Structures are given as C-alpha cells and as structure tokens.
Amino acid sequence: MPPEQTVPPDAPIVVLGATGSIGTQTLDVARRLGLQVVGIAARRASTELATIAAEWPDAVVVAVDPGDDGSALTDRVGVRARFGEEALLELASTARAMVVNGIVGAAGLRASVAALNAGNHLALANKESLVAGGPVVMQALARGGGSLIPVDSEHSALAECLVGEDLGTVRRLVLTASGGPFRGMVRQQLADVSVGDALAHPTWAMGRRVTIDSATLMNKAFEVIEAHYLFGLPYDKIDVTVHPQSIVHSLVEFVDGSIKAQIGEPDMRHPIQYAITGGTRPAVPPSGFDLTQSDLTFEPPDRVTFPCLDLGYAAGRRGGIAPAALNAADEVAVAAFLAERIPFLSIADVVSATLEQTADVTPGSVDDVLAADAEARRIAERHVASVQHDA
Ligand code: MG
C-alpha cells in the first residue's frame, strides 16, 4: 500500500468478525465517533450477535453458520439477517465500504479477496489473509483498485511512520516484539514449560493461539511476512527488535540515519481508529498514558531459543505457498501444544518438518491457498503424531 491513505473518513463500515476482539473494539470506535455501520458478520448466530445487531439498525447482519440461534436472530432483526458464506462475501463486497476484517483463521481470506475485488477499503486484522494468501490478496488489490490498510498495531505504526515518506528512502522497517513470557530464557529452560506458562503474556491480552505464537515469536514471523506484502519491501529490509514494554509499536529507519517511531499506550482501538478514519486523527479523550512512567528498552531477538522467527523469514523468502504452509503447520502445532499432545519446543520442529515437505508452488487463487493449507495440516498432523509416539 502507499503510505498515504486515501480513505474517505465517512466511508460506511462493515465489520467482519463482529463478536471477536477486533470486531467489538471496532464497534466501540464507531460508536465513539458516530460512524455509520452498514454490515456486521460473525461466524455463528448468537444472542451476542443479535444484541449487536439491535444497536446498529442500518446494518445487514450475517451469520455464516445459523446454528441453533439462527431463527432467534431472524426473529430479532427480521429481513436484515442473512446466513451462509455467500452472504458473508456479498457483505464484504458492499459498494464503497470500509471493510474491517477481524475474522479469525483461514475463513478470513475469502472475505478479504471479495472486499478487494469489489474495490473496497480493507482494514485488515485477519492474519491469514496476507500470511497465507499474500500473492492472491495483492492480485485482488491490484484488480479492484481499492486499498489495504493494516490494523495490526505494528503495521499501523509503520504506516504512520511512512506518511509523507518515499519508500525508496527506507533503510529498514523494525517491528517491535514484546518477547512474550519466555523472554530471556534459554532453550533448555523451555523444555518443560506448561500451557499456563505460555499463555501468560506480559503486555497484550489476546486469544490463545496468538498468545502462544507470541511466546514462540511465530507471531512476529507472521508480521514480517505481512509487512513484506503491505509495504512491498524485501525481507532484508524488515527487522525485528524485542521491546518488552510494548510502548514503541514499530520503527522505520531511513537512509539518512533518521529513525521514526510510533509510540503510545498498547490499545488496539488506536490502530483501528487510524485505519477506519483514513488517518485523519479524530480526537479521543486522553488515556492518562504517561511516557515518563515507562522505561523503553530494546534487545535483539534470541534466534536460537526462538527458531520460529527464522522459519518465518525462510518461508517468506521462498514465497509461493510456503507461508501458507508455515501458518497451517503452526496452527496444528499450537493446537497440539494446547492439548498437551506435544511439548513447547516441538512447535518449531513440527513447522520446520512440514516446510521441508512443502512443494514450491505459486498460488493463483484462494482455492490454491486453501489446498496448500489443507495439505500442510495433514503433514503437520503426521509430525505431531510422531512426536507423541517418540515421547
Ligand atoms: Mg501485532
């Protein structure tokens, strides 16, 4: 994307993943700013979705899976209720919309592509879209002529730092990582860590998978790949630094030696607001955040203890379906760790072994990406089973 955003600040908003963490915070921002919400979608029909729908009377309401609560949703919101994946994709294609994609998982990829094919502005929080489907998403962006705006805190920070700058003058992008709960430990200390230890993230409250991905640094590896697609820079210009306070959200170093950083309280509502208002900075009440109360420290990532970071760089450089396999294998491995089927250190082993068995293929469509995803899951499951067998 170009550093300058071209989003009209009054574009009608569609929220995909409306009951999730990004979705509810997007609705908080929309409520605070009095923005128009024309669509909300969630994976399942639920009382929570019906309650949100009642608050936004102009919104089409999509539940991909009607489940047991589908008819209750229709009773509550009438003809505004729609069901199924087609309805989700139609909603993502709403003309001239600002589509916030907060869907968790691979289901978000099709919605991203639909939004971009329709020429919409896509505020992207769904990781899989760019990590797994980068080549396909970038094709859809070029085809539709809309815009792709990061919602992830690090990429939003980079976008803020790049406003008014020429990408040709960037020496490197520096993504900050909190380092997760195991920062400062060495490999041997991680052999027996429990699920509870790994879920205790020091600064950000997030879902279970992304919290484990933060503990392995795989989350940062995904963000490196996302940055590559979002800003169109090669991997050797994308760096990671560990910054445990999570106050500096990322930095850009320019060829003249100048470094710009974006700093603020860790609060996802900032990057969400920045994205959906086109960077126009509507005022919000002061948060009480006090920079004088924060130490800002930086250290290099420990690439031996946390090999997932370099697995991510390697998959990113391979390109094609390798990042999709990286993501799928990691999801399988993290689920196996959470189910106490494999130890923490085996997460990287399962991902690495899966990547070794992944062919180099360029995906031409969402179906190609999803096929690669499914194949990597099968391979990763076999490796999980063999780790269990050896244990
Ligand atoms: Mg992030």
Side-chain angles (χ1 to χ4, degrees):
M1 63 159 240
E4 260 65 45
Q5 299 186 4
T6 51
V7 179
D10 56 350
I13 294 170
V14 169
V15 184
L16 310 181
T19 54
S21 160
I22 293 292
T24 51
Q25 293 183 85
T26 301
L27 293 168
D28 284 347
V29 172
R31 193 179 296 119
R32 184 163 72 189
L33 299 179
L35 303 175
Q36 191 196 7
V37 176
V38 296
I40 55 178
R43 188 175 306 178
R44 262 174 234 98
S46 62
T47 30
E48 200 189 349
L49 180 62
T51 305
I52 294 171
E55 193 198 333
W56 302 94
D58 299 332
V60 170
V61 184
V62 171
V64 176
D65 176 4
D68 298 335
D69 292 315
S71 53
L73 183 67
T74 305
D75 289 347
R76 187 118 174 238
V77 306
V79 294
R80 291 195 285 136
R82 317 267 158 86
F83 300 98
E85 197 188 18
E86 275 313 307
L88 174 74
L89 301 183
E90 220 172 276
L91 188 63
S93 314
T94 304
R96 287 177 299 282
M98 160 62 67
V99 179
V100 180
N101 187 350
I103 294 173
V104 176
L109 171 60
R110 250 188 236 287
S112 286
V113 169
L116 290 173
N117 274 336
N120 281 333
H121 307 291
L122 176 64
L124 187 60
N126 171 261
K127 228 151 226 171
E128 284 74 6
S129 292
L130 281 179
V131 174
V136 173
V137 168
M138 298 316 285
Q139 276 167 23
L141 174 63
R143 203 160 41 222
S147 61
L148 178 56
I149 306 151
V151 168
D152 210 351
S153 61
E154 292 82 356
H155 305 85
S156 174
L158 293 171
E160 284 204 44
C161 293
L162 288 168
V163 170
E165 304 289 353
D166 175 352
L167 278 172
T169 65
V170 172
R171 180 169 287 152
R172 56 184 189 133
L173 308 177
V174 185
L175 292 154
T176 51
S178 72
F182 303 140
R183 181 178 62 88
M185 293 191 185
V186 295
R187 217 178 140 71
Q188 299 86 296
Q189 290 172 282
L190 298 183
D192 309 309
V193 293
S194 70
V195 169
D197 295 335
L199 285 176
H201 192 275
T203 47
W204 291 93
M206 304 174 293
R208 281 159 68 88
R209 181 186 174 203
V210 62
T211 303
I212 302 301
D213 284 339
S214 296
T216 60
L217 291 194
M218 184 62 95
N219 184 54
K220 213 48 55 176
F222 292 153
E223 291 181 354
V224 166
I225 295 169
E226 288 183 279
H228 166 76
Y229 286 112
L230 281 165
F231 303 106
L233 289 170
Y235 285 96
D236 56 9
K237 288 191 173 183
I238 306 171
D239 249 342
V240 171
T241 188
V242 174
H243 166 54
Q245 296 85 12
S246 302
I247 298 296
V248 176
H249 299 310
S250 277
L251 316 92
V252 179
E253 182 181 336
F254 296 91
V255 290
D256 64 353
S258 178
I259 296 176
K260 283 165 86 171
Q262 193 270 338
I263 300 178
E265 194 177 22
D267 181 345
M268 282 309 293
R269 286 173 302 182
H270 174 75
I272 291 169
Q273 171 169 320
Y274 189 78
I276 67 179
T277 61
T280 51
R281 302 201 186 281
V284 303
S287 66
F289 172 68
D290 182 357
L291 199 52
T292 65
Q293 300 303 306
S294 338
D295 286 320
L296 302 182
T297 61
F298 301 90
E299 60 197 48
D302 176 349
R303 308 183 106 97
V304 175
T305 306
F306 303 103
C308 287
L309 183 58
D310 282 334
L311 287 174
Y313 271 96
R317 287 190 167 105
R318 270 176 71 183
I321 59 167
L326 175 85
N327 171 67
D330 177 69
E331 191 169 328
V332 168
V334 168
F337 169 69
L338 287 170
E340 299 180 347
R341 292 171 63 204
I342 63 171
F344 183 79
L345 290 175
S346 295
I347 295 173
D349 297 336
V350 167
V351 173
S352 173
T354 304
L355 283 169
E356 275 172 32
Q357 288 174 261
T358 298
D360 283 307
V361 179
T362 303
S365 67
V366 172
D367 288 336
D368 291 350
V369 174
L370 296 180
D373 175 282
E375 174 64 10
R377 276 168 209 275
R378 277 191 292 273
I379 299 170
E381 275 298 348
R382 280 204 297 273
H383 289 291
V384 165
S386 80
V387 171
Q388 276 186 298
H389 183 77
D390 294 345

